[in-house]
Amino acid sequence: MLQKLSPNSPILQATFGIERESLRINSNHRVAQTPHPHKLGSRSFHPYIQTDYSEPQLELITPIAQSTKEARRLLGAITDVAARSMDKQEYLWPLSMPPVISEEEIQIAQLDSDYEYQYRVGLGERYGKLVQSMSGIHYNFELGKDLTQQLFELSEETDFIAFKNTLYLKLAQNFLNYRWLLTYLYGASSLAEKGFLTTEVGCVRSIRNSKYGYVNSDDVHISFSSLQQYVADIEQAVQSGQLSAEKEFYSSVRLRGAKTSRDYLSKGISYLEFRSFDLNPYDPLAISQETLDTVHLFILSLLWLDQLTDVDNTLAKADKLNNLIALSHPHTPLPNDADATPILTAMKAIVLHFGLDDYYGQLIAHAEAALQDPRLTLSGKIAEQVEDGSLEKFGQQQGQVFHDYAWTAPYALKGYENMELSTQMILFDAIQLGLNVEILDEEDQFLKLWHGNHVEYIKNGNMTSKDNYVIPLAMANKVVTKKILDQAGFPVPAGAEFANKTDALRYYGQVASSAIVIKPKSTNFGLGISIFQEPASLADYEKALDIAFSEDSHVLVEEFVAGTEYRFFILDGKCEAVLLRVAANVVGDGSSTIRELVEQKNQDPLRGRDHRSPLEIINLGDIELLMLEQQGYTPDTVLPEGIQAFLRGNSNISTGGDSIDMTDQMDESYKQLAADMATAMGAWACGVDLIIPDRTKPASKNKPNCTCIELNFNPAMYLHTYTYAGPGQSITPKILKKLFPEL
Amino acid sequence: MLQKLSPNSPILQATFGIERESLRINSNHRVAQTPHPHKLGSRSFHPYIQTDYSEPQLELITPIAQSTKEARRLLGAITDVAARSMDKQEYLWPLSMPPVISEEEIQIAQLDSDYEYQYRVGLGERYGKLVQSMSGIHYNFELGKDLTQQLFELSEETDFIAFKNTLYLKLAQNFLNYRWLLTYLYGASSLAEKGFLTTEVGCVRSIRNSKYGYVNSDDVHISFSSLQQYVADIEQAVQSGQLSAEKEFYSSVRLRGAKTSRDYLSKGISYLEFRSFDLNPYDPLAISQETLDTVHLFILSLLWLDQLTDVDNTLAKADKLNNLIALSHPHTPLPNDADATPILTAMKAIVLHFGLDDYYGQLIAHAEAALQDPRLTLSGKIAEQVEDGSLEKFGQQQGQVFHDYAWTAPYALKGYENMELSTQMILFDAIQLGLNVEILDEEDQFLKLWHGNHVEYIKNGNMTSKDNYVIPLAMANKVVTKKILDQAGFPVPAGAEFANKTDALRYYGQVASSAIVIKPKSTNFGLGISIFQEPASLADYEKALDIAFSEDSHVLVEEFVAGTEYRFFILDGKCEAVLLRVAANVVGDGSSTIRELVEQKNQDPLRGRDHRSPLEIINLGDIELLMLEQQGYTPDTVLPEGIQAFLRGNSNISTGGDSIDMTDQMDESYKQLAADMATAMGAWACGVDLIIPDRTKPASKNKPNCTCIELNFNPAMYLHTYTYAGPGQSITPKILKKLFPEL
C-alpha cells in the first residue's frame, strides 16, 4: 500500500496522542487512600488529568500532537503537573502491576457522573476490582492528512470514507497479527505481587497482555475480518448482555473517531488506539522516545505488509502466540512460530524507500538485537530486579527517582525550559486547572488557553485581553507615564524633556540647587545616565547633557529621588506582591573567604544562568572584583560574621541580586497607593516601582512619602514567587482565575 | 524686582495663551451670512473654536502653552482647522477692521446660552453693533511656577497670594503706562471702511486702540492704583448700572484667574490678559513669532522697571498719549513725551543680566529701528496699501493668500508635519470636533484626547483603548495570526514553520508539486524570501531554505497564492475602505518620454518624500532603470498612448506606487469576509490583506475565493483617504466617533 508512494511523500506525517495510567502511592508505599488531588481542578472537564477506574488511579491524557517528540513533551508536562499537584509524600507507581493491594484499597473513582460510577461498579463485579488496578499506556495514532490524501489518490477507492475504513481496518488486523512482537519487546508487567492473581504465573513478560490481563470473557468474539462483521458482532454482544456497553470491548486495538461502532460505516474510522503498552519503569513518562518511534515505524510497516487472508483464524492463532509470549519468562527465547522477519523487512524497506535518516535504522537494529537477546527487552531487564519474588522495592526506588525529578526546579515546567519562567508557570497552572492549552508560538511566549467556548490568549504570562492596547504603550514611554501620573496627582520626579542642548541649558536655573538625574529619554542598559546627588555645577551639567545627547535625540533632566526602591505587582487594582531587590552580596561567617561564600550562595537551586532560574549565579568577574576592592576586600578576604560585602553596585536580579518578598512587611498605605497609580493609569497588570525613603511612615495621596519612578507593563511575575528570602507570592494562578472566573 | 534674581533663574519660564478673532468673509468679499460651520461641532463646549459677538466672527483660542513657539504652533493648527472647516469659498478677514459692513450684516452669534445672547443684544444697543465687528488678539500671560517662586522668596512678602497680587498689579500698571509703545509698533487697525465711523479719522495707527475702539463710556473710571480700589470701583460700576456685568469692563489689560474681581483679594490674580493687539495682516496667524517674543520681553521689562507712583494720574496721562499715538498717521513720528528709553533700557538689562541669546538682542534692535523710522511699524507698512481710501483690496488679497495656504497639503496639519500623517489627521479631526487635545509625546505619536471627564489615549492614530492588548501582539506574529484564522475556518496559505533544515527538508514531500514561498519567519524588507510559482526541485528547495535560514532561526514554507492583493480597512467589525496598490508606473500619451511622464506624475501635490505625503515621488534610480530595461524601455522612450510602463516590481506606496480606492467597486462579500476575519481575530482596528484571484466571483465562508496573507495591527489610515485614484475614504473621524460616541 505504501509502496506506491513517492519517496518524497510525507511518510512520517501523523498525529499522536498518549494516555498513561498510574496509581498514586503513599509514603507507606501502598496505594494512596486520599481523594483525587484538589489542585487538579474538576474531573468533570479536565482535559489532561482524569481518574481511571479507581480514585488513586490517575489517567494522564495528552492533546493531539504532530510528532512523537511533541506528544512526549506534552506527556512530560502533564506528568510534571500531576506529580507536583499530589500530596508531596505521594508518588506515581512506575509499574503496570500494582504493589501489594487488596480489593478494599481500590476505591472507585468519585466521579460526578453517576453513570460512570455505576459502570465501574459493574466492571468490578464482573472482572473483580484487582484487575482494574493494572495500569497501561494507550497510543493513539492517525495518519497525516496529506499522506492519507496521497494514499487515497493512489488507491482504487473512489469513496474517501470507505478508503479510510479499509486503511485502518488493515492496520488493526496486522497490528493484532504482530502484537506479539510488541509484547516481546515492551512487555513490562512481569510480576503479580502476592494476592493479585489466584494462579501462580511467576516472572513473565506481560501479565497485562496475557489472558490474565484485562480481557473480555471467552464467549465474546468480535471479528476484525470486515468492518460490517465487526459492527454486527459488537452490537450483538451488547444486545445479548455479554458486554454492558460497546466500550467494554477490550481489544488491544480500538477503532476511534465515532460514538458507536455503526457510525464508522457512514463516518469512517478517524484513528486507532493501541492499548497494549505496559508502563516502562525506566522512563519517568513510562514510555520512551525510542519506543514511540519504533512503534510508529512498526505501524507504518503494518501498512507496507499485505492484507491478511483468513483473518479470523490468523488472528486467533496470533492471539494464542501473543499469550504464550506474554506468559513466558522474560529471558526465554521466542517460540519458533514467532517470525519477525516480514515486519522487520517491511520496516527496513520503509527506511530505504523514503530515505529516512539513520535514527530509524538504529531503531530497527535495536529491535533486532533484542530479538536475538531477550535480556535486552524491557521485561528482560525488569526480571533482574525481582527480589524475594517481588518488584515492590524496584517500583519504590524508581517511583522515588521520578518523584524527586519532578520536584527539581519546581519553578519550571519539564520540556518547556526554553520558555520564559512566567510562561512556564502559567502553562503549569493552566494544565493543573484543567484549561485547554496550546502554544501558538513558543519563541514568542504566545499561548492560547480555553475552556468550552471561552478562549483567552496570553503572551509573556501577563499580556492578556484584560489590558487595553494603548495603556501598555503608554507605560512603555517614560514621559507619557509621568505625565499621566502627574496629571492624576501622583508623585513623580519633577523634570523636563529636551530635544536640544540650548533649551536644556536654559533649564539649569530651575535645577541649579537640586539633586538631579540626566538621562537619555530611552534609557538602554543605563548608558548615558549622570546622577548628581549634590547640585551640579553648570559645567558638569553641560557635560552630562553632552553624554546623554550622545545616546539619544531626547534627554530628560529629572529630580533625583533618594530612598529604597520597591517593586509592587498590581493586578486588577490590587497589590499582590512587593519585592525588594538587593545587589549581589554575601554575608560573612567569620571563617569563609568571600570566594567561598559566593560558591556557597551559588549552591541555591534557585540560582542558575540566563533567566532560566528565578535567581542568577553570582560571578566573580572584573566588575565584582572592582566592587570588592572599593570596599577594601579581595575574593580571599575572610569576612567577619554578619558583615555584608557587595559584589555589585546595582540591585538587578540578573547580575546576581537577591529578591526579598516584602509583601507582608510593607505598609498597606503604600500598597494602596501603588494600586491606585495602576488604576489611574488604567493598567490591569503592571509593576509599580516606588522609591520610599522611610517605609515606617505611611503614605497618603496628599503626603505620599514616596515617588514613582516607573511603571512596568511586562513585570516578571516569577521574581515574586521564588524569592531569595520571604515566603514568595504566587501570581500566575491569580491571572488565570481572573481570565477564567467560571473555573 | 527681577534684578535680584540669579542669572541662572528661568527668566523665560512662562505660559501663554492666545485668542484671535476674525470675520468669515464670503466669495463676494462681504461678511459671510452663513451659520457657524457645522463641521466645528458644538459651540456649547468647543475649547478652541468659538464665535465672538456675531455669528461670522470666529474666536480661535489656544490651550495654555509652555512657550511662545508652542502657542503659535497651536494657534496655527486651530487656524488651519478653522479655515478648512468653513465653506471652501469663505475665508478669514486678515484685518482687525472689517470690510464695508452694515449693521444688518452683523447677526448676533446663535449661541445655545440665552444669557450670552441677551448680553450681546445689550452690548449692541449700548455700543452699536458695528464696533463689535472689529477683531483683535488677546495675549494671556502667566509667569512660570519656578520663576514666581524664586521671586516670592526674594520678596519681602510672606503671603504668596498677596505677593502675586502685587506682582501682577505692578505688571498691569506698567503695561497701561507703556501700552502706547505697542500701539506704535503693532497697531494695525488703520482704516475704517466707509460707513463704519461717523467721524472721519483717516489713516491712523490703531482705531481699535483709540477712543473709537471698543471702550467703555467716559463715566466708567476703574482705578488700578490698588487691587482694593480696583475691586471697589468695578463693583460700584456694576451696581450703578454703568456696566451690565464685570466683564463689560474693557481695559487693554484684564486681571484673570477668578470669577469675580473680589475673588482676587482672597485667591490671587493667576495671570493677565493683554487685549490690545490688532490683527497683523502679514501673518497667516495674525501675530508673528517676533511680536510674541518682543512682547514677552516687554512684559518682563515692565517687572524690571520700578513701581509707578501717583498711579491714577500717571495712567490717565498714558491713556491720552496712547490715544494720540493711535490716532496719528502711521508715518508721523512719536510725540516728544513718548519716551521709550526706560523700557528699552530695561529690555537690554534683562538680556544682559540673564544672558539671553542674540535673538532677543535682535528683537530690541528691530524695535529701536521702528522707533527711529515709523515706516517700519506695522501700520507704517499697511498705510502704503491704502487704495482709494480703502484697505479692502489689500485685505482681500492677504485673506486669499492665507486661505490658499490653509488648503495646500490638506492631508497635513500645519505645524505638526513631523508627525505621522494619520496622527496629523486625528489631531485635525479632534480639534475640529471640539475635543481637548494634548500631545503627550510627539516623537511617539502619543495623544491624549478628552471631553469632560472622558479621557482617551491614542497612539499612531489607531492604537486605542478599543483593542485589547494581546490581539495586536497576535497580529504582529504571522504564525499566530495564521493559526487563529485557520482555526476559525478562514482561508490562509497552507504551510508550516521550521526551526531546522532537516525538518524543513522532510516537508518537501508535502509541497513538491505546489507553488510555494519560502521565507524567514520575521520577514524584514523582503530579505531571504524565495518564491516558486512553479513547483521547486529538491535542490532549489534546499537552496531557498539555506537563504531563509541565513536570515532567521525560524523559516516558513507556505503555499504561494496567485491573485491581486487588496487591503481592507476594518473598524469595529465593519469594512470602511478597500485599497488596491499598484507598482510605480506611468501611462503613455504618445508624445512624452517616460522621464517626462514621471516628472508630470510627480507634480501631483499628493506626492512627496519620506511619508510626509500620501504618495511618494517616483524615482528614476538604478532599480527603476533596470525595471524599464526589462520591459525594453529607457527613460527616453516615448511611450505610446495608453501603454503602461512600470518603474517598480513591488506595489509599495513608499516606492512610488499608486493607491486606488476600490471601496465602491469591491464586492460586498469580500468586505464582509474581511470584517469577519477581524472579528474572529478579536481586532477592533486592523488591515486585512486578501489575495483575490477574481473579484467578480463573490466570496463566502465555505468558498472564500481568496486567501488572507496578513493582518496588520497598525494599518496606515491616510492611504485610504488621499488616494491616487478613486474618491478616498475618511477613516480618522470614524475612529473619534467611536471613541467619543457622546459627541
Side-chain angles (χ1 to χ4, degrees):
Chain A
M1 206 160 188
L2 304 185
Q3 286 84 338
K4 290 189 207 161
L5 285 170
S6 144
N8 283 330
S9 288
I11 185 66
L12 295 177
Q13 193 193 36
T15 54
F16 306 86
I18 305 174
E19 294 155 54
R20 178 228 173 150
E21 302 152 1
S22 195
L23 288 168
R24 284 186 291 117
I25 301 296
N26 64 25
S27 56
N28 297 322
H29 305 298
R30 302 283 300 213
V31 172
Q33 296 302 305
T34 49
H36 187 67
H38 70 96
K39 286 182 182 166
L40 291 173
S42 166
R43 278 174 280 179
S44 65
F45 60 74
H46 205 299
Y48 306 127
I49 304 178
Q50 284 286 343
T51 34
D52 202 81
Y53 182 86
S54 64
E55 187 71 3
Q57 190 171 33
L58 290 182
E59 185 182 11
L60 312 182
I61 307 154
T62 72
I64 293 168
Q66 304 296 318
S67 69
T68 54
K69 252 191 193 154
E70 185 57 18
R72 218 178 104 83
R73 183 160 84 139
L74 290 162
L75 181 60
I78 295 165
T79 306
D80 206 31
V81 172
R84 287 198 269 138
S85 300
M86 311 186 304
D87 285 358
K88 209 174 169 179
Q89 290 81 358
E90 294 185 2
Y91 64 94
L92 293 174
W93 192 244
L95 296 167
S96 275
M97 298 304 290
V100 170
I101 194 170
S102 65
E103 288 237 349
E104 293 70 45
E105 286 172 289
I106 303 174
Q107 196 197 0
I108 290 174
Q110 303 294 305
L111 301 175
D112 288 347
S113 155
D114 191 55
Y115 168 79
E116 284 293 335
Y117 186 80
Q118 291 305 332
Y119 175 71
R120 281 168 172 73
V121 170
L123 293 180
E125 285 163 1
R126 279 197 297 290
Y127 299 91
K129 279 163 87 179
L130 280 182
V131 74
Q132 309 286 351
S133 65
M134 289 191 292
S135 295
I137 281 196
H138 301 179
Y139 185 122
N140 294 277
F141 178 85
E142 179 177 7
L143 284 165
K145 212 176 58 154
D146 301 293
L147 181 61
T148 308
Q149 186 61 33
Q150 289 185 13
L151 284 169
F152 175 54
E153 282 164 14
L154 291 169
S155 75
E156 276 145 34
E157 289 278 4
T158 52
D159 180 68
F160 189 60
I161 286 170
F163 165 76
K164 283 213 299 179
N165 283 340
T166 306
L167 179 78
Y168 283 113
L169 194 67
K170 174 184 171 178
L171 192 47
Q173 290 166 354
N174 278 346
F175 180 84
L176 292 170
N177 196 30
Y178 282 102
R179 176 190 171 196
W180 61 265
L181 179 58
L182 301 181
T183 302
Y184 175 79
L185 290 172
Y186 306 122
S189 48
S190 295
L191 201 81
E193 299 297 334
K194 225 173 169 179
F196 188 86
L197 290 181
T198 47
T199 323
E200 179 63 44
V201 297
C203 181
V204 299
R205 288 200 170 91
S206 181
I207 293 169
R208 243 184 101 254
N209 278 293
S210 76
K211 62 181 175 181
Y212 300 113
Y214 206 56
V215 289
N216 298 109
S217 67
D218 287 345
D219 55 355
V220 176
H221 293 289
I222 310 291
S223 171
F224 276 81
S225 61
S226 74
L227 188 55
Q228 282 73 13
Q229 191 58 49
Y230 173 90
V231 172
D233 286 353
I234 281 212
E235 288 181 343
Q236 167 61 27
V238 171
Q239 218 172 347
S240 69
Q242 289 173 315
L243 299 177
S244 66
E246 290 195 358
K247 69 173 174 175
E248 199 185 323
F249 173 52
Y250 303 123
S251 170
S252 62
V253 59
R254 187 175 264 181
L255 313 185
R256 295 305 301 260
K259 278 201 173 159
T260 69
S261 296
R262 182 155 294 280
D263 286 345
Y264 293 120
L265 295 171
S266 56
K267 294 181 181 165
I269 302 165
S270 296
Y271 65 102
L272 296 181
E273 179 184 357
F274 303 112
R275 303 157 55 89
S276 56
F277 298 92
D278 292 339
L279 305 190
N280 174 349
Y282 295 100
D283 193 289
L285 309 187
I287 187 160
S288 71
Q289 185 65 46
E290 179 165 338
T291 302
L292 285 174
D293 290 325
T294 308
V295 171
H296 183 194
L297 191 56
F298 169 83
I299 292 168
L300 294 175
S301 307
L302 300 174
L303 287 174
W304 183 274
L305 293 176
D306 291 338
Q307 179 92 29
L308 291 187
T309 51
D310 193 8
V311 175
D312 288 339
N313 283 327
T314 306
L315 295 190
K317 255 196 277 178
D319 191 48
K320 274 187 193 135
L321 179 61
N322 178 67
N323 188 55
L324 176 64
I325 291 169
L327 291 179
S328 302
H329 187 276
H331 296 164
T332 56
L334 280 167
N336 284 341
D337 50 347
D339 181 11
T341 314
I343 191 83
L344 286 170
T345 306
M347 285 164 87
K348 287 176 193 169
I350 285 173
V351 171
L352 202 69
H353 184 78
F354 296 100
L356 300 188
D357 56 34
D358 283 355
Y359 171 67
Y360 290 93
Q362 285 164 21
L363 295 181
I364 299 172
H366 290 172
E368 286 183 315
L371 283 164
Q372 292 301 314
D373 180 359
R375 286 177 187 269
L376 296 177
T377 63
L378 210 42
S379 60
K381 289 179 211 162
I382 292 169
E384 285 164 13
Q385 302 296 334
V386 179
E387 266 183 54
D388 300 331
S390 166
L391 278 168
E392 281 211 318
K393 239 186 184 165
F394 174 62
Q396 290 166 17
Q397 173 207 309
Q398 289 300 95
Q400 201 56 50
V401 167
F402 300 152
H403 178 72
D404 292 346
Y405 172 67
W407 279 97
T408 57
Y411 45 81
L413 181 64
K414 304 276 182 298
Y416 296 84
E417 289 90 347
N418 278 328
M419 299 188 80
E420 290 179 0
L421 280 181
S422 298
T423 295
Q424 290 184 52
M425 289 182 191
I426 281 273
L427 278 171
F428 183 98
D429 299 334
I431 293 172
Q432 191 177 54
L433 205 55
L435 285 167
N436 290 278
V437 171
E438 184 183 348
I439 298 174
L440 292 180
D441 194 318
E442 189 161 340
E443 259 191 305
D444 207 23
Q445 321 294 327
F446 216 112
L447 308 182
K448 175 183 177 181
L449 305 181
W450 71 100
H451 175 69
N453 291 323
H454 177 185
V455 178
E456 294 282 350
Y457 301 104
I458 302 188
K459 184 169 146 59
N460 294 12
N462 59 36
M463 299 172 176
T464 70
S465 65
K466 294 289 184 177
D467 260 310
N468 91 46
Y469 187 24
V470 79
I471 297 305
L473 297 174
M475 290 197 273
N477 182 315
K478 290 193 185 107
V479 171
V480 171
T481 302
K482 263 182 65 173
K483 283 186 184 167
I484 293 175
L485 285 181
D486 188 36
Q487 288 174 3
F490 291 102
V492 293
E497 179 187 351
F498 300 99
N500 63 70
K501 197 175 145 187
T502 311
D503 290 348
L505 277 175
R506 167 83 41 221
Y507 186 69
Y508 177 69
Q510 263 146 286
V511 294
S513 58
S514 318
I516 53 170
V517 184
I518 298 178
K519 56 186 176 186
K521 182 174 171 191
S522 314
T523 41
N524 226 340
F525 308 111
L527 289 176
I529 299 184
S530 303
I531 297 176
F532 296 97
Q533 301 204 17
E534 301 297 320
S537 71
L538 181 57
D540 287 346
Y541 179 79
E542 184 170 359
K543 211 180 292 170
L545 288 177
D546 287 334
I547 294 170
F549 273 116
S550 72
E551 296 289 336
D552 198 343
S553 63
H554 288 65
V555 163
L556 307 181
V557 179
E558 272 186 0
E559 169 194 5
F560 170 78
V561 186
T564 307
E565 180 183 340
Y566 296 89
R567 157 65 58 86
F568 293 71
F569 188 94
I570 311 297
L571 186 64
D572 199 13
K574 186 165 174 285
C575 174
E576 297 288 358
V578 183
L579 196 75
L580 170 64
R581 285 166 286 189
V582 178
N585 70 88
V586 288
V587 177
D589 59 8
S591 63
S592 306
T593 64
I594 288 178
R595 191 190 306 280
E596 286 163 350
L597 292 169
V598 166
E599 269 166 33
Q600 283 163 31
K601 196 157 179 175
N602 283 341
Q603 294 308 308
D604 186 341
L606 292 183
R607 288 194 193 262
R609 293 206 186 272
D610 302 327
H611 305 277
R612 295 293 171 241
S613 314
L615 295 168
E616 290 284 313
I617 292 289
I618 303 173
N619 291 317
L620 267 175
D622 289 346
I623 301 174
E624 287 82 4
L625 293 183
L626 186 67
M627 185 70 194
L628 286 177
E629 198 185 309
Q630 287 169 355
Q631 299 161 84
Y633 302 135
T634 75
D636 298 316
T637 306
V638 173
L639 215 52
E641 195 173 340
I643 295 301
Q644 192 172 34
F646 285 93
L647 284 303
R648 279 280 185 161
N650 62 312
S651 61
N652 299 43
I653 300 301
S654 59
T655 52
D658 292 339
S659 54
I660 299 172
D661 177 15
M662 297 289 287
T663 313
D664 298 335
Q665 289 94 313
M666 182 56 66
D667 195 277
E668 279 302 321
S669 61
Y670 289 104
K671 295 186 200 172
Q672 189 57 50
L673 190 74
D676 290 347
M677 286 178 182
T679 302
M681 191 71 194
W684 185 72
C686 81
V688 177
D689 290 341
L690 296 186
I691 303 271
I692 305 181
D694 179 359
R695 69 179 169 82
T696 63
K697 285 187 197 158
S700 68
K701 201 169 168 182
N702 290 332
K703 205 168 167 156
N705 284 327
C706 66
T707 307
C708 177
I709 54 163
E710 197 176 326
L711 295 188
N712 194 315
F713 67 96
N714 185 21
M717 295 185 287
Y718 70 86
L719 281 186
H720 296 279
T721 312
Y722 294 93
T723 52
Y724 173 71
Q729 306 295 328
S730 201
I731 294 173
T732 47
K734 288 176 177 157
I735 297 255
L736 291 182
K737 214 168 166 182
K738 288 189 182 283
L739 286 175
F740 292 94
E742 69 268 38
L743 290 190
Chain B
M1 207 160 189
L2 303 184
Q3 286 85 336
K4 289 189 208 160
L5 285 171
S6 145
N8 282 329
S9 288
I11 186 66
L12 295 176
Q13 194 194 35
T15 54
F16 306 86
I18 305 173
E19 294 155 56
R20 178 229 172 147
E21 300 153 4
S22 195
L23 289 168
R24 285 186 290 117
I25 301 295
N26 63 24
S27 54
N28 297 325
H29 306 297
R30 302 285 295 213
V31 173
Q33 296 303 304
T34 50
H36 188 66
H38 70 95
K39 284 182 185 168
L40 291 174
S42 166
R43 275 174 282 180
S44 64
F45 60 74
H46 205 300
Y48 308 126
I49 305 177
Q50 285 287 341
T51 34
D52 202 80
Y53 182 86
S54 65
E55 187 73 1
Q57 190 172 33
L58 289 184
E59 184 182 12
L60 312 182
I61 308 155
T62 72
I64 294 168
Q66 304 297 318
S67 68
T68 54
K69 252 191 192 155
E70 184 58 18
R72 219 179 103 84
R73 184 160 83 139
L74 288 161
L75 181 61
I78 295 166
T79 306
D80 205 31
V81 172
R84 288 197 269 138
S85 300
M86 310 186 306
D87 285 358
K88 209 172 169 179
Q89 290 82 357
E90 294 185 2
Y91 63 94
L92 292 175
W93 191 243
L95 296 167
S96 275
M97 298 304 289
V100 171
I101 194 168
S102 64
E103 289 237 351
E104 293 68 46
E105 285 172 287
I106 303 174
Q107 195 196 1
I108 290 175
Q110 302 295 303
L111 300 175
D112 289 347
S113 156
D114 190 53
Y115 168 79
E116 285 293 334
Y117 187 80
Q118 291 305 332
Y119 176 71
R120 282 168 172 72
V121 169
L123 294 182
E125 285 164 0
R126 279 196 297 289
Y127 301 90
K129 279 164 87 178
L130 280 181
V131 74
Q132 310 286 353
S133 66
M134 289 191 291
S135 296
I137 281 197
H138 301 179
Y139 185 122
N140 294 276
F141 177 83
E142 180 177 8
L143 284 166
K145 211 174 58 150
D146 301 293
L147 181 60
T148 308
Q149 185 62 32
Q150 290 184 14
L151 285 169
F152 175 53
E153 283 164 14
L154 292 170
S155 76
E156 275 144 37
E157 289 277 7
T158 52
D159 180 67
F160 189 61
I161 286 170
F163 165 76
K164 282 212 301 180
N165 283 341
T166 306
L167 180 77
Y168 282 113
L169 192 68
K170 173 182 172 180
L171 193 47
Q173 290 166 352
N174 279 345
F175 180 85
L176 292 170
N177 196 32
Y178 284 102
R179 176 186 171 198
W180 61 264
L181 180 58
L182 302 182
T183 302
Y184 174 80
L185 291 172
Y186 307 123
S189 48
S190 297
L191 201 83
E193 299 296 333
K194 226 177 171 177
F196 188 86
L197 291 181
T198 47
T199 322
E200 180 64 44
V201 297
C203 182
V204 299
R205 289 202 170 90
S206 180
I207 294 168
R208 239 184 103 253
N209 279 292
S210 78
K211 62 180 176 184
Y212 301 113
Y214 205 58
V215 289
N216 299 109
S217 67
D218 286 343
D219 54 356
V220 176
H221 294 290
I222 310 290
S223 168
F224 276 80
S225 62
S226 74
L227 188 56
Q228 281 73 10
Q229 192 59 49
Y230 174 89
V231 172
D233 287 354
I234 281 211
E235 286 181 345
Q236 166 62 23
V238 172
Q239 221 174 340
S240 70
Q242 289 172 314
L243 298 178
S244 67
E246 291 195 358
K247 69 175 176 177
E248 201 185 321
F249 173 52
Y250 304 121
S251 170
S252 63
V253 58
R254 187 176 267 183
L255 313 185
R256 295 304 302 262
K259 279 199 169 158
T260 70
S261 296
R262 182 157 293 280
D263 286 344
Y264 293 119
L265 294 171
S266 56
K267 294 182 181 164
I269 302 164
S270 298
Y271 65 101
L272 297 180
E273 180 184 357
F274 303 111
R275 301 156 58 87
S276 56
F277 299 91
D278 291 340
L279 305 190
N280 174 348
Y282 295 100
D283 193 288
L285 309 187
I287 186 161
S288 71
Q289 184 65 46
E290 179 165 337
T291 302
L292 285 174
D293 290 323
T294 308
V295 171
H296 183 193
L297 191 55
F298 170 82
I299 292 169
L300 294 174
S301 307
L302 300 175
L303 286 175
W304 184 274
L305 292 176
D306 293 337
Q307 180 91 28
L308 292 188
T309 51
D310 191 12
V311 175
D312 288 338
N313 284 326
T314 308
L315 294 190
K317 259 194 279 178
D319 191 50
K320 276 188 193 135
L321 179 63
N322 178 66
N323 188 56
L324 176 66
I325 292 169
L327 291 179
S328 303
H329 188 278
H331 295 165
T332 56
L334 277 168
N336 284 340
D337 50 347
D339 180 10
T341 315
I343 192 85
L344 286 170
T345 307
M347 285 165 87
K348 287 175 193 169
I350 286 173
V351 171
L352 201 67
H353 184 78
F354 297 99
L356 300 188
D357 57 34
D358 283 357
Y359 171 67
Y360 290 93
Q362 285 163 23
L363 294 181
I364 299 171
H366 290 173
E368 288 183 315
L371 283 165
Q372 292 303 315
D373 180 0
R375 288 178 186 267
L376 295 178
T377 64
L378 210 43
S379 59
K381 290 180 210 161
I382 292 168
E384 285 164 14
Q385 303 296 333
V386 179
E387 268 183 54
D388 300 331
S390 166
L391 279 169
E392 282 212 318
K393 237 184 186 166
F394 173 62
Q396 291 167 17
Q397 171 207 310
Q398 289 299 94
Q400 201 56 52
V401 167
F402 301 151
H403 179 74
D404 292 346
Y405 172 66
W407 279 97
T408 57
Y411 45 81
L413 180 65
K414 304 279 183 292
Y416 296 84
E417 290 90 347
N418 278 327
M419 299 189 80
E420 290 179 2
L421 281 181
S422 299
T423 295
Q424 290 183 53
M425 290 182 189
I426 281 272
L427 279 172
F428 183 98
D429 299 334
I431 293 172
Q432 191 175 55
L433 205 55
L435 284 168
N436 289 279
V437 171
E438 183 183 349
I439 298 174
L440 293 182
D441 194 319
E442 187 160 344
E443 258 192 306
D444 206 24
Q445 322 292 328
F446 214 111
L447 309 182
K448 175 183 176 179
L449 305 181
W450 71 101
H451 176 69
N453 291 323
H454 177 185
V455 177
E456 295 282 350
Y457 302 104
I458 302 188
K459 184 172 146 56
N460 294 12
N462 59 36
M463 299 174 177
T464 70
S465 65
K466 294 289 185 180
D467 259 310
N468 90 47
Y469 187 23
V470 77
I471 297 306
L473 297 174
M475 289 196 274
N477 182 315
K478 289 193 185 113
V479 171
V480 170
T481 303
K482 264 183 66 174
K483 282 186 184 169
I484 293 175
L485 286 179
D486 187 35
Q487 288 173 6
F490 290 102
V492 292
E497 178 187 353
F498 299 99
N500 63 71
K501 197 177 147 186
T502 311
D503 289 349
L505 277 174
R506 167 84 41 221
Y507 186 68
Y508 178 70
Q510 264 147 285
V511 294
S513 57
S514 317
I516 54 171
V517 184
I518 297 178
K519 58 185 175 187
K521 183 175 168 188
S522 314
T523 42
N524 226 340
F525 307 111
L527 289 176
I529 299 183
S530 303
I531 296 175
F532 296 97
Q533 301 204 18
E534 300 296 320
S537 71
L538 181 57
D540 287 346
Y541 178 80
E542 185 170 356
K543 211 179 292 170
L545 287 177
D546 287 335
I547 293 169
F549 272 116
S550 73
E551 296 290 336
D552 197 343
S553 63
H554 288 65
V555 163
L556 307 180
V557 179
E558 272 185 359
E559 169 193 7
F560 170 79
V561 185
T564 307
E565 182 183 338
Y566 296 90
R567 156 65 58 88
F568 293 71
F569 188 92
I570 311 296
L571 186 64
D572 199 13
K574 187 165 175 284
C575 175
E576 297 288 359
V578 184
L579 195 77
L580 170 64
R581 285 166 286 190
V582 179
N585 69 86
V586 290
V587 177
D589 60 7
S591 64
S592 306
T593 65
I594 288 178
R595 192 189 306 280
E596 288 164 349
L597 292 169
V598 167
E599 268 165 34
Q600 285 164 31
K601 196 156 179 174
N602 283 341
Q603 295 309 308
D604 185 340
L606 291 184
R607 287 193 195 263
R609 295 208 185 269
D610 301 328
H611 305 277
R612 296 290 171 244
S613 314
L615 295 168
E616 291 284 314
I617 292 288
I618 302 174
N619 291 318
L620 266 176
D622 289 346
I623 301 175
E624 288 82 4
L625 294 182
L626 185 69
M627 185 73 194
L628 286 177
E629 198 185 308
Q630 285 168 358
Q631 298 160 84
Y633 301 135
T634 76
D636 299 317
T637 307
V638 172
L639 215 52
E641 194 173 341
I643 294 301
Q644 192 172 34
F646 284 93
L647 284 302
R648 279 281 185 158
N650 60 313
S651 60
N652 299 42
I653 300 302
S654 60
T655 52
D658 293 340
S659 54
I660 299 171
D661 178 15
M662 298 287 287
T663 313
D664 297 337
Q665 291 92 315
M666 182 56 67
D667 195 276
E668 280 301 322
S669 60
Y670 288 105
K671 295 185 200 173
Q672 189 57 51
L673 189 74
D676 290 347
M677 285 178 184
T679 302
M681 192 71 194
W684 185 71
C686 82
V688 177
D689 290 341
L690 296 186
I691 303 271
I692 306 180
D694 179 359
R695 68 179 170 82
T696 64
K697 285 186 197 157
S700 67
K701 198 167 169 183
N702 291 331
K703 205 166 170 161
N705 284 327
C706 65
T707 306
C708 176
I709 55 161
E710 199 175 325
L711 296 188
N712 195 315
F713 66 96
N714 186 22
M717 294 184 289
Y718 69 87
L719 282 184
H720 296 278
T721 311
Y722 294 92
T723 52
Y724 173 73
Q729 306 295 327
S730 201
I731 293 173
T732 46
K734 288 176 178 158
I735 297 255
L736 291 182
K737 213 169 169 182
K738 287 189 184 282
L739 285 176
F740 291 94
E742 69 269 36
L743 291 188

